[in-house]
């Protein structure tokens, strides 16, 4: 950038060409209803359309020389490498799905649920399993166990994303696929496997119990807690069903497994020299100003960063507030700093409000500070159409309520609708919700 100038030049390196709505639950919605509940393009925005965007490279950052202030990148199309010099570096690389060496993302029958292309892959595989199972010419008879294995769907992980995908999948089968595959729908089984003793551990215990009871009693999901996946067997040659071995000794056949069982550092973060950059559980250590203490002019935020004395959950809300804090610091302070000058940022208010329309309340309700301050907004999770849970007990408001049912569902939809980055998508998303409710979800594969 131009040191001390009125405007600083910014360079953005990002692998995908679009920014998706920050909610993974909406990805779960798209995974079983792309073109139905929501269309994939209705929850993403091209990076090029960001107002005030400087230089943008659709590339993958592969390494960083923090002494020379150089980032090495690989172009996404030509695969050629190039270097970018920086005055300031913000590492917001996120994390990837933790597989514990059990599975990889090259299989068609095991999918992650972190990016939009994962949602498309999941959706196509679900429909593929039904199409395969409907062709009785491929089986010994309509009572063949191969059909039951194809129609067995396993979700690994007990967080909010896993639970929301599970309820969306069950609704997809019950409300839509049952109409087009009436003989197959009764044979569908959905399993949720969690290594810990409970699901939704970040929620109030009563809400987590309510959700678990809903899954098992109302949606007839096979919920297995305290059980870990030990091995996923090799897929069949024809791409049909496979199986996995669990820690309790049982074996589960499946046509599709959705893996959402933790986070691991991306290669760029793993490759940072630990003699220069301190790490904690694979994440870059930062101070209260989101600075990497051992290196000048380097910041980190989101899932790839951690402040050991103030551990925050790896959620979109944290990354969003950290990004807003750093943007305000650059606008107010860092853009005016000369070479190698060290100073603390001017006080800025926290980005507590969930939407830009309410940003003015941040200055009215909170005292600006130089340090990053995270404001807990609460947690919510959908339980399919018409139900949800909302936990406001950790928001800092004494006696914050815990809400379940239709009111929580409306809060969930309203909150995630407000996270869309354009008015166009704010209009499109409710239109797709109405289309799904009135006409049903689309089951075409594309």
């Amino acid at each position: 950038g131009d040191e001390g100038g009125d405007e600083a030049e910014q360079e953005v390196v990002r692998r995908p060409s679009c920014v998706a709505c920050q909610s993974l639950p909406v990805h779960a919605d798209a995974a079983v209803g792309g073109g139905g509940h929501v269309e994939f393009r209705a929850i993403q925005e091209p990076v090029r359309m960001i107002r005030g965007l400087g230089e943008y490279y659709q590339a993958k950052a592969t390494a960083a020389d923090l002494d020379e202030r150089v980032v090495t990148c690989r172009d996404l199309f030509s695969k050629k490498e190039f270097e970018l010099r920086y005055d300031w570096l913000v590492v917001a690389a996120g994390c990837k799905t933790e597989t514990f060496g059990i599975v990889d993302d090259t299989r068609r029958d095991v999918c992650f649920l972190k990016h939009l292309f994962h949602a498309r892959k999941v959706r196509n595989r679900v429909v593929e399993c039904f199409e395969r199972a409907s062709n009785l010419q491929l089986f010994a008879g309509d009572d063949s166990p191969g059909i039951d294995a194809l129609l067995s769907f396993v979700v690994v992980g007990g967080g909010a994303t896993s639970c929301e995908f599970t309820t969306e999948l069950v609704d997809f089968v019950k409300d839509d696929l049952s109409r087009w595959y009436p003989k197959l729908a009764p044979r569908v089984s959905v399993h949720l496997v969690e290594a810990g003793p409970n699901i939704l551990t970040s929620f109030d215990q009563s809400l987590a119990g309510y959700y678990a009871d809903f899954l098992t009693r109302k949606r007839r999901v096979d919920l297995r807690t305290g059980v870990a996946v030990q091995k996923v067997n090799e897929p069949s040659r024809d791409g049909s069903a496979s199986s996995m071995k669990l820690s309790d000794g049982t074996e589960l056949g499946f046509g599709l497994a959705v893996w959402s069982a933790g986070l691991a550092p991306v290669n760029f973060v793993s490759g940072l020299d630990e003699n220069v950059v301190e790490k904690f559980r694979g994440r870059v250590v930062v101070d209260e100003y989101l600075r990497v203490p051992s290196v000048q002019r380097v910041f980190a935020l989101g899932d790839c960063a951690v402040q050991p004395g103030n551990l925050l959950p790896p959620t979109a809300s944290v990354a969003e507030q950290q990004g807003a804090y750093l943007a305000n610091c650059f606008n107010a302070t860092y853009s005016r700093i000369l070479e190698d000058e060290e100073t603390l940022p001017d006080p800025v208010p926290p980005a507590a409000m969930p939407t830009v329309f309410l940003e003015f309340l941040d200055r009215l309700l909170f005292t600006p500070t130089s340090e990053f301050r995270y404001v807990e907004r609460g947690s919510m999770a959908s339980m399919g159409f018409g139900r949800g849970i909302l936990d406001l007990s950790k928001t800092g408001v004494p006696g914050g309520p815990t809400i379940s049912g239709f009111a929580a569902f409306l809060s969930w939809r309203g909150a995630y609708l407000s996270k869309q980055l354009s008015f166009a998508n704010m209009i499109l998303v409710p239109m797709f919700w109405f289309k799904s409710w009135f006409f049903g979800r689309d089951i075409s594969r594309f």
Side-chain angles (χ1 to χ4, degrees):
D2 298 323
E3 296 296 342
D6 293 333
E7 294 185 359
E9 178 184 347
Q10 60 174 335
E11 295 176 313
V12 180
V13 179
R14 182 177 172 85
R15 187 175 181 181
S17 63
C18 296
V19 179
C21 166
Q22 69 163 320
S23 83
L24 283 174
V26 174
H27 292 184
D29 200 3
V32 295
H37 254 191
V38 288
E39 213 275 341
F40 298 102
R41 286 172 292 184
I43 56 173
Q44 64 179 5
E45 296 285 347
V47 173
R48 293 286 181 187
M49 295 180 65
I50 297 177
R51 181 178 299 178
L53 180 69
E55 293 294 323
Y56 164 64
Y57 305 95
Q58 193 170 347
K60 183 177 182 180
T62 57
D65 186 332
L66 302 181
D67 293 325
E68 297 296 328
R69 295 184 181 176
V70 173
V71 176
T72 302
C73 307
R74 183 184 300 118
D75 181 75
L76 196 61
F77 307 104
S78 67
K79 307 303 179 184
K80 293 181 179 179
E81 290 195 343
F82 60 96
E83 293 184 344
L84 290 176
R85 293 193 171 274
Y86 66 84
D87 297 312
W88 303 87
L89 176 63
V90 178
V91 180
C95 285
K96 61 183 179 181
T97 302
E98 176 63 85
T99 64
F100 307 100
I102 298 175
V103 296
D104 59 63
D105 61 356
T106 61
R107 297 179 54 148
R108 64 188 300 176
D109 59 346
V110 179
C111 303
F112 303 147
L113 196 56
K114 192 168 180 62
H115 303 289
L116 278 180
F117 71 86
H118 290 149
R120 185 190 297 274
K121 182 180 177 182
V122 167
R123 180 184 179 282
N124 285 338
R125 179 62 182 178
V126 170
V127 178
E128 177 188 337
C129 287
F130 274 84
E131 289 296 338
R132 283 176 175 268
S134 67
N135 188 352
L136 297 181
Q137 305 300 321
L138 304 178
F139 301 95
D142 60 5
D143 60 345
S144 170
I147 297 178
D148 295 319
L150 264 177
L151 298 179
S152 171
F153 302 99
V154 180
V155 183
V156 181
T161 302
S162 301
C163 292
E164 290 185 316
F165 172 77
T166 301
T167 56
E168 290 289 348
L169 176 61
V170 173
D171 283 355
F172 186 34
V173 172
K174 178 175 67 73
D175 298 336
D176 298 283
L177 293 179
S178 61
R179 290 188 294 169
W180 313 118
Y181 306 92
K183 294 183 179 180
L184 297 180
R187 303 181 67 168
V188 173
S189 61
V190 180
H191 314 266
L192 180 60
V193 179
E194 164 58 31
N198 300 294
I199 62 172
L200 298 174
T201 54
S202 63
F203 284 75
D204 181 85
Q205 187 176 358
S206 63
L207 290 178
Y210 171 77
Y211 205 116
D213 185 69
F214 172 80
L215 287 175
T216 54
R217 297 195 179 190
K218 299 290 186 180
R219 290 297 181 260
R220 300 186 182 279
V221 172
D222 174 27
L223 177 60
R224 305 191 184 195
T225 56
V227 178
V229 178
Q230 290 187 330
K231 180 183 179 181
V232 177
N233 296 321
E234 291 296 318
S236 59
R237 291 184 178 181
D238 63 355
S240 57
S242 184
S243 62
M244 63 175 64
K245 185 178 180 180
L246 305 182
S247 59
D248 62 358
T250 60
E251 191 162 310
L252 271 180
F254 65 88
L256 168 68
V258 175
W259 190 282
S260 182
L263 299 174
V266 299
N267 294 337
F268 178 81
V269 173
S270 298
L272 294 175
D273 188 351
E274 295 197 17
N275 294 321
V276 179
V277 177
E278 184 183 357
K279 296 180 184 177
F280 178 77
R281 297 178 182 174
R283 301 165 71 183
V284 177
V285 172
V286 297
D287 62 15
E288 62 269 33
Y289 308 101
L290 303 185
R291 303 176 303 184
V292 179
S294 54
V295 189
Q296 285 188 336
R297 297 189 164 216
V298 178
F299 302 84
L301 62 85
D303 296 351
C304 70
V306 62
Q307 187 181 343
N310 182 27
L311 297 179
L312 297 174
T315 61
S317 178
V318 173
E320 178 191 19
Q321 293 187 44
Q322 289 176 332
Y325 164 79
L326 267 187
N328 289 333
C329 290
F330 271 99
N331 290 332
T333 307
Y334 296 139
S335 61
R336 298 183 278 104
I337 295 178
L338 299 177
E339 180 71 21
D340 294 330
E341 180 183 347
E342 285 292 327
T343 185
L344 297 180
D346 294 336
V348 296
M353 295 299 109
T355 175
V356 295
F357 305 114
L358 300 176
E359 281 184 354
F360 69 95
L361 293 176
D362 290 334
R363 291 190 177 276
L364 294 177
L365 300 177
F366 299 95
T367 301
T369 61
S370 294
E371 304 85 3
F372 168 71
R373 177 185 176 186
Y374 174 63
V375 178
E376 175 62 62
R377 298 170 180 167
S379 304
M380 59 181 68
S382 169
M383 303 172 68
F385 184 79
R387 291 173 181 257
I389 57 174
L390 173 61
D391 184 4
L392 299 176
S393 62
K394 302 180 181 69
T395 58
V397 179
T402 57
I403 303 171
S404 61
F406 190 67
F409 171 76
L410 291 180
S411 299
W412 181 90
R413 286 212 161 173
Y416 286 115
L417 182 62
S418 71
K419 293 303 177 185
Q420 298 303 316
L421 303 179
S422 71
F423 286 110
N425 280 357
M426 288 184 183
I427 295 172
L428 285 174
V429 169
M431 291 174 61
F432 280 111
W433 284 339
F434 176 78
K435 172 181 175 290
S436 170
W437 172 76
F438 195 79
F439 297 105
R441 300 172 180 85
D442 183 15
I443 63 169
S444 60
R445 297 174 60 220
F446 60 93

